[in-house]
Amino acid sequence: MAGEESAGGRGRLQQHHGYSSTGLEGAEAAPGLDVLFLTPALYVVEGPVYAVKHDATGREASWYSLAAACVVLHAAGQQPGRERTVALSLILLFFFPSGCLIGAVNLKSSNRNPVVQEFESVELSCIITDSQTNDPRIEWKKIQDEQTTYVFFDNKIQGDLAGRAELLGKTSLKIWNVTRTDSALYRCEVVARHDRKEIDEIVIELTVQVKPVPPLCRVPRAVPVGKAATLTCQEGEGYPRPHYSWYRNDVPLPTDSRANPRFRNSSFLFNPDTGTLVFSAIHKEDSGQYYCIASNDAGSARCEEQDMEVYDLNIGGIVGGVLVVLTVLALITVGICCAYRRGCFINNKQNGESYKNPGKPDGVNYIRTDEEGDFRHKSSFVI
């Protein structure tokens, strides 16, 4: 039978009715073996011995030996000189199901990387393309931050998706009111007990986009000419991470003032990833109303306009002000010194003589009379 040689030259693969031979990648076959695809999961072989080593996804699969050769018939006219009919092929499949027919469960998805905005609904597509099992076991798992949790298990929704998710059709999963925490990898697993290859799985990456909130902008109110100035814009809610744009008087600013002749009198650099606008030496023309916009694929938001005034430095006024302050300080110092020399800071506590009671010797008692200074002995001295 004519066909294309597989890797290593062992075995030949042939397409049939539009089906490719990708499902037999990694297969090993004895020389002279022909493989004819009827469906992605069912195929007929011709040759002495055939063994499947891996399936289409690269996972380990069971080995199947075909001791008896099977005659594979193709549609008439496909290979001139060989009378083969589709009807006879089907008869052979009926009489030799174990030797010529191999069944395997296979999954596919219409979208492996769905992207949805927050609070919307999304469908995680998981479709069984081939299976000989009528009631396969379906499981959905969520993989996030290196942790795996059940989403659909034992025929019911589990975890944080309970109440806002359901199984759509037979295997697909639909989620309502998605949030940013739902961004993760989701694995659909199907176990078909009646198939020769019983298990297949498919991984879907869900991305939930979040619209930015109004960013926090910081703009200096007044800056002297020639000085440096930094304007910042930050937003921490949007996903994917937003990019920033600065505007002055409703005119967008470039990332480098030197790249645009319109801003030749300015000297600034702007980083759209961090939202930082830096003026190395500010000019009078940089005065105006500034605002910032944060935007991503989900939307955009802006902060309120803020005025930045650029003023000239009056060197003469500054020098004159310093001299006035120094003069006032000198006059105050002289006044304090003069007042101190004149005794203005001496405190006379008494204007007349103060009287102090003399000490009383031991054994002598004094009696004070009506007139001050007149004393008499209460007892005589003892010598």
Side-chain angles (χ1 to χ4, degrees):
M1 178 181 297
E4 299 175 2
E5 292 193 359
S6 64
R10 293 180 298 174
R12 297 188 297 277
L13 306 180
Q14 184 177 8
Q15 295 183 352
H16 179 64
H17 295 308
Y19 292 99
S20 67
S21 58
T22 56
L24 293 179
E25 291 178 359
E28 293 182 358
L33 174 66
D34 289 335
V35 179
L36 176 64
F37 251 82
L38 296 182
T39 72
L42 305 178
Y43 45 88
V44 186
V45 294
E46 177 187 32
V49 177
Y50 177 69
V52 178
K53 188 173 182 180
H54 295 84
D55 61 12
T57 61
R59 295 175 51 191
E60 284 288 335
S62 302
W63 288 75
Y64 303 103
S65 297
L66 304 178
C70 296
V71 179
V72 180
L73 302 182
H74 199 5
Q78 291 280 340
Q79 300 180 21
R82 304 182 70 178
E83 297 294 334
R84 303 189 175 193
T85 63
V86 176
L88 187 54
S89 296
L90 297 177
I91 293 174
L92 289 174
L93 287 175
F94 179 80
F95 284 102
F96 302 96
S98 62
C100 299
L101 182 64
I102 299 177
V105 59
N106 283 299
L107 302 177
K108 74 173 184 178
S109 176
S110 60
N111 188 1
R112 285 180 176 242
N113 301 99
V115 178
V116 64
Q117 293 191 17
E118 194 173 26
F119 308 124
E120 294 183 352
S121 61
V122 64
E123 177 185 345
L124 306 185
S125 172
C126 179
I127 304 170
I128 300 177
T129 58
D130 295 281
S131 177
Q132 305 302 307
T133 303
N134 294 328
D135 55 345
R137 190 180 75 206
I138 312 298
E139 293 182 1
W140 277 93
K141 297 177 181 178
K142 179 180 180 180
I143 305 171
Q144 188 178 55
D145 298 331
E146 299 182 354
Q147 294 184 352
T148 303
T149 57
Y150 279 107
V151 172
F152 182 82
F153 178 73
D154 198 18
N155 292 324
K156 61 182 179 180
I157 302 295
Q158 308 278 343
D160 58 353
L161 291 182
R164 57 187 185 95
E166 69 172 356
L167 208 62
L168 189 64
K170 197 172 184 180
T171 51
S172 296
L173 185 69
K174 186 171 184 178
I175 306 175
W176 293 288
N177 195 29
V178 295
T179 65
R180 65 195 69 188
T181 59
D182 295 329
S183 293
L185 296 176
Y186 291 83
R187 188 168 64 215
C188 174
E189 300 178 0
V190 175
V191 179
R193 297 298 184 187
H194 299 156
D195 291 18
R196 290 184 179 270
K197 192 194 78 170
E198 297 181 352
I199 302 175
D200 197 13
E201 64 184 34
I202 191 170
V203 177
I204 299 173
E205 183 178 6
L206 173 62
T207 301
V208 179
Q209 296 180 341
V210 182
K211 181 180 178 180
V213 299
L216 176 62
C217 300
R218 291 187 174 91
V219 179
R221 293 185 178 181
V223 182
V225 172
K227 297 294 183 180
T230 301
L231 286 67
T232 60
C233 180
Q234 294 180 338
E235 195 279 336
E237 297 294 328
Y239 185 84
R241 187 176 178 178
H243 291 274
Y244 302 97
S245 302
W246 272 104
Y247 291 78
R248 182 179 70 199
N249 300 330
D250 295 327
V251 177
L253 299 181
T255 56
D256 190 343
S257 60
R258 296 171 297 181
N260 192 328
R262 184 174 185 177
F263 301 93
R264 60 182 179 272
N265 293 328
S266 297
S267 57
F268 62 80
L269 292 174
F270 165 53
N271 189 331
D273 295 326
T274 62
T276 304
L277 176 64
V278 178
F279 291 86
S280 57
I282 208 159
H283 299 77
K284 288 287 291 184
E285 292 80 3
D286 295 324
S287 295
Q289 292 183 328
Y290 287 80
Y291 65 88
C292 171
I293 295 179
S295 58
N296 62 10
D297 293 338
S300 62
R302 56 170 284 181
C303 63
E304 295 295 331
E305 293 181 349
Q306 300 182 40
D307 291 327
M308 184 176 73
E309 178 186 357
V310 179
Y311 60 90
D312 292 319
L313 287 176
N314 189 350
I315 304 299
I318 294 175
V319 173
V322 172
L323 293 177
V324 169
V325 172
L326 293 177
T327 302
V328 172
L329 291 177
L331 293 176
I332 293 174
T333 303
V334 171
I336 292 174
C337 292
C338 292
Y340 184 79
R341 290 179 179 178
R342 293 179 180 180
C344 296
F345 296 101
I346 299 176
N347 186 15
N348 294 327
K349 295 182 180 180
Q350 296 178 349
N351 295 326
E353 294 181 355
S354 61
Y355 172 80
K356 295 183 180 180
N357 293 330
K360 297 179 180 180
D362 294 339
V364 179
N365 293 328
Y366 295 91
I367 299 176
R368 184 184 179 95
T369 61
D370 294 337
E371 296 181 359
E372 185 179 2
D374 184 14
F375 293 90
R376 67 183 179 85
H377 293 290
K378 184 177 180 181
S379 61
S380 61
F381 290 97
V382 178
I383 300 175

